[in-house]
Amino acid sequence: MATPGTSETLPLGGSDDVVRARHQVREVAIELGFDLVAQTRIVTATSELARNTHLHGGGGKLTITPVADGARRGLRLEFVDDGPGIADVQLALTDGWSSQGGLGLGLSGTKRLMDEFTIESRPGGGTRVEVVQWLTRR
């Protein structure tokens, strides 16, 4: 079973890696007890961020970490690349803005899907996105 504090890092160098990342994140989410709706949200966020890391960041890595905060349990995903970075992070988080002619809902949509969302980027310095989804028991 996924244990809080133990991490697994996956490369994100191509589209096959994006597919592998989605599958691995779903497996960990299932092990942690996330319901189907939460799994779908987590995998959707993973797909978007892994794809961005591959396409816009020139490749990078994903670190998957089960986390705990007292009795609360969750899943943290960290996407890191050494690519060109994002010139204007606030603009990139605006619904409808796209650097490549898409719908412009990737980063902003991912931010809405997850409980926590942090992005750090600078031109020429790569990008780091961390998201967390907390497990809520009913």
Side-chain angles (χ1 to χ4, degrees), residues 4-41:
T6 59
S7 297
E8 176 180 2
T9 301
L10 304 174
L12 295 173
S15 56
D16 288 346
D17 292 334
V18 173
V19 172
R20 273 191 285 282
R22 290 171 37 163
H23 288 292
Q24 187 59 30
V25 165
R26 181 178 299 279
E27 285 182 23
V28 173
I30 290 169
E31 282 184 39
L32 290 171
F34 283 98
D35 65 22
L36 185 58
V37 172
Q39 290 171 37
T40 302
R41 294 166 69 100

Short mmCIF file of all heavy atoms in Angstrom, two decimals, residues 4-41:
data_model
loop_
_atom_site.label_atom_id
_atom_site.label_comp_id
_atom_site.label_asym_id
_atom_site.label_seq_id
_atom_site.Cartn_x
_atom_site.Cartn_y
_atom_site.Cartn_z
N PRO A 4 2.51 7.22 3.27
CA PRO A 4 2.86 8.65 3.29
C PRO A 4 4.37 8.84 3.44
O PRO A 4 5.03 8.17 4.22
CB PRO A 4 2.10 9.19 4.50
CG PRO A 4 0.91 8.29 4.60
CD PRO A 4 1.43 6.92 4.21
N GLY A 5 4.89 9.77 2.64
CA GLY A 5 6.30 10.09 2.69
C GLY A 5 7.17 9.31 1.73
O GLY A 5 8.31 9.67 1.50
N THR A 6 6.65 8.22 1.16
CA THR A 6 7.44 7.47 0.18
C THR A 6 7.09 7.99 -1.21
O THR A 6 5.93 8.11 -1.56
CB THR A 6 7.14 5.95 0.25
OG1 THR A 6 5.75 5.74 -0.01
CG2 THR A 6 7.51 5.38 1.61
N SER A 7 8.11 8.33 -1.96
CA SER A 7 7.91 8.93 -3.27
C SER A 7 8.35 8.00 -4.38
O SER A 7 9.22 7.16 -4.19
CB SER A 7 8.70 10.23 -3.39
OG SER A 7 8.25 11.17 -2.46
N GLU A 8 7.76 8.23 -5.53
CA GLU A 8 8.16 7.54 -6.75
C GLU A 8 8.31 8.61 -7.83
O GLU A 8 7.44 9.47 -7.97
CB GLU A 8 7.08 6.54 -7.16
CG GLU A 8 7.35 5.84 -8.45
CD GLU A 8 6.24 4.85 -8.82
OE1 GLU A 8 5.24 4.74 -8.10
OE2 GLU A 8 6.40 4.19 -9.87
N THR A 9 9.43 8.58 -8.55
CA THR A 9 9.67 9.58 -9.59
C THR A 9 9.67 8.91 -10.95
O THR A 9 10.30 7.86 -11.14
CB THR A 9 11.01 10.30 -9.35
OG1 THR A 9 10.96 10.94 -8.06
CG2 THR A 9 11.27 11.36 -10.41
N LEU A 10 8.94 9.52 -11.89
CA LEU A 10 8.82 9.01 -13.25
C LEU A 10 9.32 10.05 -14.24
O LEU A 10 9.07 11.24 -14.07
CB LEU A 10 7.35 8.71 -13.58
CG LEU A 10 6.59 7.77 -12.65
CD1 LEU A 10 5.12 7.73 -13.05
CD2 LEU A 10 7.19 6.39 -12.70
N PRO A 11 10.01 9.62 -15.30
CA PRO A 11 10.43 10.57 -16.34
C PRO A 11 9.23 10.98 -17.19
O PRO A 11 8.28 10.22 -17.36
CB PRO A 11 11.43 9.76 -17.17
CG PRO A 11 10.97 8.33 -17.01
CD PRO A 11 10.42 8.24 -15.61
N LEU A 12 9.30 12.20 -17.72
CA LEU A 12 8.27 12.69 -18.63
C LEU A 12 8.96 13.22 -19.88
O LEU A 12 9.05 14.43 -20.09
CB LEU A 12 7.43 13.80 -17.96
CG LEU A 12 6.61 13.36 -16.75
CD1 LEU A 12 5.98 14.56 -16.07
CD2 LEU A 12 5.55 12.35 -17.16
N GLY A 13 9.46 12.30 -20.68
CA GLY A 13 10.20 12.69 -21.87
C GLY A 13 9.45 12.50 -23.17
O GLY A 13 9.91 12.94 -24.22
N GLY A 14 8.30 11.85 -23.12
CA GLY A 14 7.55 11.58 -24.34
C GLY A 14 6.11 11.23 -24.03
O GLY A 14 5.73 11.10 -22.88
N SER A 15 5.32 11.05 -25.07
CA SER A 15 3.89 10.77 -24.88
C SER A 15 3.66 9.43 -24.18
O SER A 15 2.70 9.28 -23.43
CB SER A 15 3.14 10.84 -26.20
OG SER A 15 3.71 9.96 -27.15
N ASP A 16 4.55 8.44 -24.39
CA ASP A 16 4.41 7.17 -23.68
C ASP A 16 4.59 7.37 -22.17
O ASP A 16 3.93 6.72 -21.37
CB ASP A 16 5.43 6.14 -24.18
CG ASP A 16 5.10 5.62 -25.57
OD1 ASP A 16 3.96 5.83 -26.04
OD2 ASP A 16 5.99 5.00 -26.19
N ASP A 17 5.49 8.28 -21.79
CA ASP A 17 5.71 8.57 -20.38
C ASP A 17 4.47 9.23 -19.76
O ASP A 17 4.13 8.98 -18.60
CB ASP A 17 6.91 9.50 -20.19
CG ASP A 17 8.23 8.83 -20.53
OD1 ASP A 17 8.31 7.58 -20.45
OD2 ASP A 17 9.17 9.55 -20.89
N VAL A 18 3.78 10.06 -20.54
CA VAL A 18 2.56 10.70 -20.06
C VAL A 18 1.50 9.64 -19.76
O VAL A 18 0.85 9.67 -18.72
CB VAL A 18 2.04 11.74 -21.09
CG1 VAL A 18 0.67 12.27 -20.68
CG2 VAL A 18 3.04 12.88 -21.25
N VAL A 19 1.37 8.67 -20.64
CA VAL A 19 0.41 7.57 -20.43
C VAL A 19 0.79 6.77 -19.19
O VAL A 19 -0.06 6.46 -18.35
CB VAL A 19 0.33 6.67 -21.68
CG1 VAL A 19 -0.50 5.42 -21.41
CG2 VAL A 19 -0.23 7.44 -22.86
N ARG A 20 2.09 6.44 -19.05
CA ARG A 20 2.55 5.70 -17.87
C ARG A 20 2.28 6.48 -16.58
O ARG A 20 1.87 5.91 -15.57
CB ARG A 20 4.04 5.37 -17.98
CG ARG A 20 4.32 4.08 -18.73
CD ARG A 20 5.78 3.66 -18.59
NE ARG A 20 6.67 4.47 -19.42
CZ ARG A 20 6.83 4.31 -20.73
NH1 ARG A 20 6.15 3.38 -21.37
NH2 ARG A 20 7.65 5.08 -21.40
N ALA A 21 2.50 7.78 -16.62
CA ALA A 21 2.27 8.62 -15.44
C ALA A 21 0.80 8.58 -15.04
O ALA A 21 0.48 8.43 -13.86
CB ALA A 21 2.71 10.06 -15.73
N ARG A 22 -0.08 8.69 -16.01
CA ARG A 22 -1.52 8.63 -15.72
C ARG A 22 -1.89 7.31 -15.05
O ARG A 22 -2.63 7.29 -14.06
CB ARG A 22 -2.33 8.80 -17.00
CG ARG A 22 -2.27 10.19 -17.56
CD ARG A 22 -2.88 10.29 -18.92
NE ARG A 22 -4.06 9.44 -19.06
CZ ARG A 22 -4.96 9.58 -20.01
NH1 ARG A 22 -4.83 10.52 -20.91
NH2 ARG A 22 -5.99 8.78 -20.08
N HIS A 23 -1.39 6.21 -15.60
CA HIS A 23 -1.70 4.89 -15.04
C HIS A 23 -1.14 4.74 -13.62
O HIS A 23 -1.83 4.23 -12.73
CB HIS A 23 -1.16 3.77 -15.94
CG HIS A 23 -1.92 3.62 -17.21
ND1 HIS A 23 -3.21 3.16 -17.28
CD2 HIS A 23 -1.57 3.88 -18.49
CE1 HIS A 23 -3.63 3.15 -18.53
NE2 HIS A 23 -2.65 3.59 -19.29
N GLN A 24 0.08 5.18 -13.40
CA GLN A 24 0.69 5.03 -12.08
C GLN A 24 -0.02 5.90 -11.04
O GLN A 24 -0.25 5.46 -9.92
CB GLN A 24 2.19 5.38 -12.13
CG GLN A 24 2.91 5.09 -10.84
CD GLN A 24 2.82 3.62 -10.42
OE1 GLN A 24 2.73 2.72 -11.25
NE2 GLN A 24 2.83 3.39 -9.12
N VAL A 25 -0.37 7.11 -11.43
CA VAL A 25 -1.09 7.99 -10.49
C VAL A 25 -2.44 7.39 -10.15
O VAL A 25 -2.86 7.40 -8.98
CB VAL A 25 -1.21 9.42 -11.08
CG1 VAL A 25 -2.24 10.24 -10.31
CG2 VAL A 25 0.16 10.10 -11.07
N ARG A 26 -3.15 6.84 -11.14
CA ARG A 26 -4.44 6.20 -10.85
C ARG A 26 -4.25 5.04 -9.87
O ARG A 26 -5.03 4.90 -8.92
CB ARG A 26 -5.12 5.71 -12.12
CG ARG A 26 -6.50 5.07 -11.81
CD ARG A 26 -7.25 4.60 -13.02
NE ARG A 26 -7.58 5.63 -13.96
CZ ARG A 26 -8.61 6.48 -13.85
NH1 ARG A 26 -9.39 6.42 -12.80
NH2 ARG A 26 -8.85 7.37 -14.78
N GLU A 27 -3.23 4.21 -10.08
CA GLU A 27 -2.98 3.09 -9.17
C GLU A 27 -2.76 3.56 -7.74
O GLU A 27 -3.30 2.98 -6.80
CB GLU A 27 -1.79 2.26 -9.65
CG GLU A 27 -2.08 1.40 -10.86
CD GLU A 27 -0.89 0.56 -11.27
OE1 GLU A 27 -0.01 0.29 -10.43
OE2 GLU A 27 -0.84 0.17 -12.46
N VAL A 28 -1.96 4.59 -7.56
CA VAL A 28 -1.69 5.11 -6.22
C VAL A 28 -2.97 5.70 -5.62
O VAL A 28 -3.27 5.48 -4.44
CB VAL A 28 -0.53 6.13 -6.23
CG1 VAL A 28 -0.37 6.78 -4.86
CG2 VAL A 28 0.77 5.47 -6.67
N ALA A 29 -3.74 6.43 -6.42
CA ALA A 29 -4.99 7.02 -5.93
C ALA A 29 -5.96 5.92 -5.47
O ALA A 29 -6.62 6.06 -4.44
CB ALA A 29 -5.63 7.88 -7.02
N ILE A 30 -6.02 4.83 -6.21
CA ILE A 30 -6.86 3.69 -5.82
C ILE A 30 -6.37 3.10 -4.50
O ILE A 30 -7.16 2.85 -3.59
CB ILE A 30 -6.91 2.63 -6.93
CG1 ILE A 30 -7.69 3.15 -8.14
CG2 ILE A 30 -7.51 1.32 -6.42
CD1 ILE A 30 -7.55 2.30 -9.39
N GLU A 31 -5.05 2.88 -4.40
CA GLU A 31 -4.48 2.33 -3.16
C GLU A 31 -4.79 3.21 -1.95
O GLU A 31 -5.02 2.70 -0.86
CB GLU A 31 -2.95 2.21 -3.28
CG GLU A 31 -2.46 1.05 -4.07
CD GLU A 31 -0.94 0.97 -4.06
OE1 GLU A 31 -0.34 1.23 -2.99
OE2 GLU A 31 -0.37 0.65 -5.11
N LEU A 32 -4.80 4.52 -2.16
CA LEU A 32 -5.05 5.44 -1.05
C LEU A 32 -6.53 5.54 -0.69
O LEU A 32 -6.88 6.10 0.34
CB LEU A 32 -4.52 6.84 -1.39
CG LEU A 32 -3.00 6.95 -1.43
CD1 LEU A 32 -2.58 8.30 -2.00
CD2 LEU A 32 -2.40 6.74 -0.05
N GLY A 33 -7.41 5.01 -1.55
CA GLY A 33 -8.83 4.99 -1.25
C GLY A 33 -9.64 6.12 -1.85
O GLY A 33 -10.78 6.36 -1.43
N PHE A 34 -9.10 6.83 -2.84
CA PHE A 34 -9.88 7.87 -3.51
C PHE A 34 -11.03 7.24 -4.28
O PHE A 34 -10.86 6.20 -4.91
CB PHE A 34 -9.00 8.67 -4.47
CG PHE A 34 -8.10 9.67 -3.79
CD1 PHE A 34 -6.78 9.36 -3.52
CD2 PHE A 34 -8.58 10.92 -3.41
CE1 PHE A 34 -5.95 10.27 -2.89
CE2 PHE A 34 -7.76 11.83 -2.78
CZ PHE A 34 -6.43 11.52 -2.52
N ASP A 35 -12.20 7.88 -4.24
CA ASP A 35 -13.33 7.37 -5.01
C ASP A 35 -13.13 7.67 -6.50
O ASP A 35 -12.19 8.35 -6.89
CB ASP A 35 -14.66 7.93 -4.48
CG ASP A 35 -14.82 9.43 -4.66
OD1 ASP A 35 -14.14 10.04 -5.52
OD2 ASP A 35 -15.64 10.02 -3.93
N LEU A 36 -14.03 7.15 -7.32
CA LEU A 36 -13.89 7.26 -8.77
C LEU A 36 -13.85 8.71 -9.25
O LEU A 36 -13.08 9.07 -10.14
CB LEU A 36 -15.00 6.48 -9.48
CG LEU A 36 -14.90 6.42 -10.99
CD1 LEU A 36 -13.59 5.79 -11.44
CD2 LEU A 36 -16.08 5.64 -11.55
N VAL A 37 -14.68 9.56 -8.66
CA VAL A 37 -14.71 10.97 -9.06
C VAL A 37 -13.37 11.63 -8.75
O VAL A 37 -12.79 12.32 -9.60
CB VAL A 37 -15.88 11.73 -8.38
CG1 VAL A 37 -15.78 13.22 -8.64
CG2 VAL A 37 -17.21 11.18 -8.86
N ALA A 38 -12.85 11.41 -7.56
CA ALA A 38 -11.56 11.99 -7.18
C ALA A 38 -10.43 11.42 -8.04
O ALA A 38 -9.53 12.16 -8.47
CB ALA A 38 -11.27 11.75 -5.70
N GLN A 39 -10.49 10.11 -8.32
CA GLN A 39 -9.48 9.51 -9.21
C GLN A 39 -9.48 10.20 -10.57
O GLN A 39 -8.43 10.50 -11.13
CB GLN A 39 -9.76 8.02 -9.42
CG GLN A 39 -9.54 7.14 -8.22
CD GLN A 39 -10.06 5.74 -8.48
OE1 GLN A 39 -9.96 5.22 -9.60
NE2 GLN A 39 -10.64 5.12 -7.47
N THR A 40 -10.66 10.46 -11.10
CA THR A 40 -10.79 11.09 -12.41
C THR A 40 -10.21 12.50 -12.38
O THR A 40 -9.50 12.92 -13.30
CB THR A 40 -12.26 11.11 -12.86
OG1 THR A 40 -12.73 9.75 -12.90
CG2 THR A 40 -12.42 11.74 -14.23
N ARG A 41 -10.47 13.24 -11.32
CA ARG A 41 -9.93 14.59 -11.18
C ARG A 41 -8.39 14.55 -11.14
O ARG A 41 -7.73 15.33 -11.81
CB ARG A 41 -10.47 15.26 -9.91
CG ARG A 41 -11.95 15.52 -9.96
CD ARG A 41 -12.50 15.86 -8.58
NE ARG A 41 -12.03 17.16 -8.10
CZ ARG A 41 -12.74 18.26 -8.14
NH1 ARG A 41 -13.97 18.24 -8.63
NH2 ARG A 41 -12.25 19.38 -7.68
#
